[in-house]
Amino acid sequence: MPALAEVLAENTRVGTLWERLDERRIRCFACGHRCPILEGQPGVCKVRFHSGGELHVPWGYVAGVQCDPIEKKPFHHARPGALAYSFGMLGCDLHCGYCQNWVTSQAIRDPLAAAPVRRATPEALASQAVECGAEAIVSTYNEPLITAEWAVAVFERARAAGLVTGFVSNGNATPEALEYLRPWVDLYKVDLKSFNDRHYRELGGRLEPILDSLRRIHAMGFWLEVVTLVVPGFNDSDGELHAMAEFLAGISRDIPWHVTAFHKDYRMEEPANTSPEDLLRAARIGREAGLRYVYAGNIPGGVGGLEDTACPQCGERLIRRRGFRVLEYRLSAEGRCPSCATAIPGRWASVFRAQRTERPFLPG
Ligand code: SF4
């Protein structure tokens, strides 16, 4: 049986997000690493490689497909209750020890991570999404920036079928990649993992490209929501949480910030799981920094009203949630508070239909 790396090397095509540097090297600019790559070598992500003077990128397969509630991504200000058809490939440009998708993201680096791949076409994925009743289609499970050309091909078909498109990303983007994605991506979720460059380097990245991308994603008109997995002892000091919240509020107070609970996973088994008190503290810091929409996730029913959306003007509860479940939806067709008519930022549907699913399931 061929090794996984051989299978992946066959499922490629020449990519778009690269340039020639000189006779020996090309540069990939799909992510903030901007790898210069010699003939026969892969970039840091291991899935994009230089062959014959061109950059070959992942194509024609998926390593995971699932029908998720959109609340699981999480997007709380985009089509609440919608089914988000979610697909992923393999590989990542970072190597976070606590990754909850490590089976797909670390498949090339870690022999213990073995995710089967299956051949796919953009047309088949878009069709299956529609058959499942999805309103949205999302590239997730691995870092979508490193498989951006494939995501765009899928999104072209999905848009033609009337679907909303989304990225669930670590945000280590480049201006060129964001320009390439802008026509095809509606929703963009970024994991802001820390506000400390040394911490980001431990995960295999740098802080500055992430911060630059957050500013650009918002300025370019993607619908942006930000998640911080609160990891005790890693990023949960008051000072670091405050720095993250203040940075986001400086871009826009309307960016939803999800502070979510860590549970032991992959190689990070030392810190304690995040407690509800930790999340309440993080959320309070977010509010004090001026953010209008702060959510606490991964502890359903354990964080008071921090799973709900409330009107920042009059305090009226607009969307009530528990976990991935939407219990009540009171926004007007125009996305306004029914009590004081304040416009709530987001990508709302004009009509809220019953939630399609509150838990993930496999299509077909
Ligand atoms: S996607 Fe990022 S890590 Fe992979 S080759 Fe391109 S620049 Fe390097």
Side-chain angles (χ1 to χ4, degrees):
M1 206 165 101
L4 182 59
E6 290 170 36
V7 173
L8 296 184
E10 286 165 12
N11 288 291
T12 64
R13 75 161 46 175
V14 175
T16 304
L17 298 169
W18 64 280
E19 63 188 350
R20 193 176 305 281
L21 284 180
D22 53 41
E23 286 193 353
R24 297 170 56 238
R25 298 178 307 159
I26 60 176
R27 183 191 298 285
C28 173
F29 45 76
C31 89
H33 289 322
R34 294 185 174 277
C35 299
I37 313 177
L38 289 164
E39 171 66 35
Q41 298 298 312
V44 169
C45 60
K46 307 281 190 214
V47 299
R48 298 166 75 91
F49 61 91
H50 179 173
S51 176
E54 296 177 308
L55 184 74
H56 289 248
V57 305
W59 194 268
Y61 78 88
V62 286
V65 173
Q66 189 168 279
C67 293
D68 288 337
I70 201 165
E71 286 70 23
K72 182 173 183 288
K73 301 297 96 189
F75 288 113
H76 276 11
H77 288 229
R79 306 286 183 115
L83 189 155
Y85 181 90
S86 304
F87 65 92
M89 301 182 96
L90 293 176
C92 190
D93 53 327
L94 304 184
H95 47 77
C96 308
Y98 52 78
C99 183
Q100 290 167 354
N101 289 319
W102 65 277
V103 171
T104 47
S105 71
Q106 303 303 315
I108 326 289
R109 293 194 185 95
D110 188 335
L112 292 177
V117 303
R118 67 175 168 87
R119 304 271 311 160
T121 65
E123 293 79 6
L125 293 176
S127 302
Q128 190 172 52
V130 172
E131 282 162 22
C132 291
E135 281 180 60
I137 185 164
V138 179
S139 183
T140 177
Y141 306 137
N142 75 317
E143 173 47 49
L145 286 165
I146 69 173
T147 50
E149 290 92 343
W150 172 249
V152 164
V154 175
F155 290 168
E156 284 175 358
R157 305 314 187 285
R159 274 278 184 80
L163 299 179
V164 172
T165 63
F167 252 36
V168 169
S169 167
N170 61 31
N172 187 28
T174 63
E176 300 95 314
L178 293 175
E179 288 293 341
Y180 174 69
L181 294 169
R182 184 63 204 99
W184 301 107
V185 176
D186 300 304
L187 317 175
Y188 204 123
K189 190 216 85 173
V190 170
D191 275 320
L192 179 58
K193 298 167 191 288
S194 172
F195 213 73
N196 179 321
D197 188 61
R198 185 174 55 78
H199 286 167
Y200 257 106
R201 287 175 191 268
E202 288 172 17
L203 308 178
R206 291 181 299 123
L207 176 62
E208 197 47 47
I210 316 277
L211 300 186
D212 184 57
S213 295
L214 284 164
R215 293 185 198 99
R216 286 177 190 275
I217 289 165
H218 181 265
M220 291 170 76
F222 296 89
W223 176 253
L224 170 65
E225 301 199 20
V226 176
V227 172
T228 296
L229 184 71
V230 178
V231 183
F234 177 71
N235 62 2
D236 71 329
S237 71
D238 284 4
E240 187 157 356
L241 291 167
H242 183 75
M244 287 190 265
E246 200 166 52
F247 172 78
L248 294 175
I251 299 174
S252 167
R253 295 177 63 197
D254 287 336
I255 295 172
W257 189 37
H258 303 253
V259 288
T260 61
F262 160 83
H263 59 84
K264 294 177 187 183
D265 215 326
Y266 196 32
R267 290 180 174 150
M268 202 175 255
E269 295 197 330
E270 280 197 2
N273 289 346
T274 314
S275 68
E277 292 71 30
D278 291 330
L279 289 193
L280 295 173
R281 177 173 58 87
R284 177 179 46 77
I285 289 170
R287 291 252 165 81
E288 285 172 0
L291 291 169
R292 293 190 175 104
Y293 306 98
V294 182
Y295 300 101
N298 287 356
I299 306 182
V303 286
L306 285 169
E307 296 177 271
D308 303 335
T309 301
C311 175
Q313 187 64 32
C314 71
E316 185 84 2
R317 185 164 62 190
L318 304 172
I319 304 172
R320 191 158 67 91
R321 303 181 186 85
R322 186 179 177 121
F324 305 141
R325 191 167 167 204
V326 178
L327 300 170
E328 192 180 5
Y329 183 92
R330 301 190 56 243
L331 277 173
S332 74
E334 298 77 32
R336 292 182 179 274
C337 170
S339 294
C340 69
T342 294
I344 309 300
R347 300 288 185 269
W348 312 108
S350 55
V351 181
F352 174 71
R353 299 188 179 88
Q355 186 170 24
R356 178 75 176 75
T357 180
E358 64 189 67
R359 42 178 83 85
F361 64 90
L362 295 178

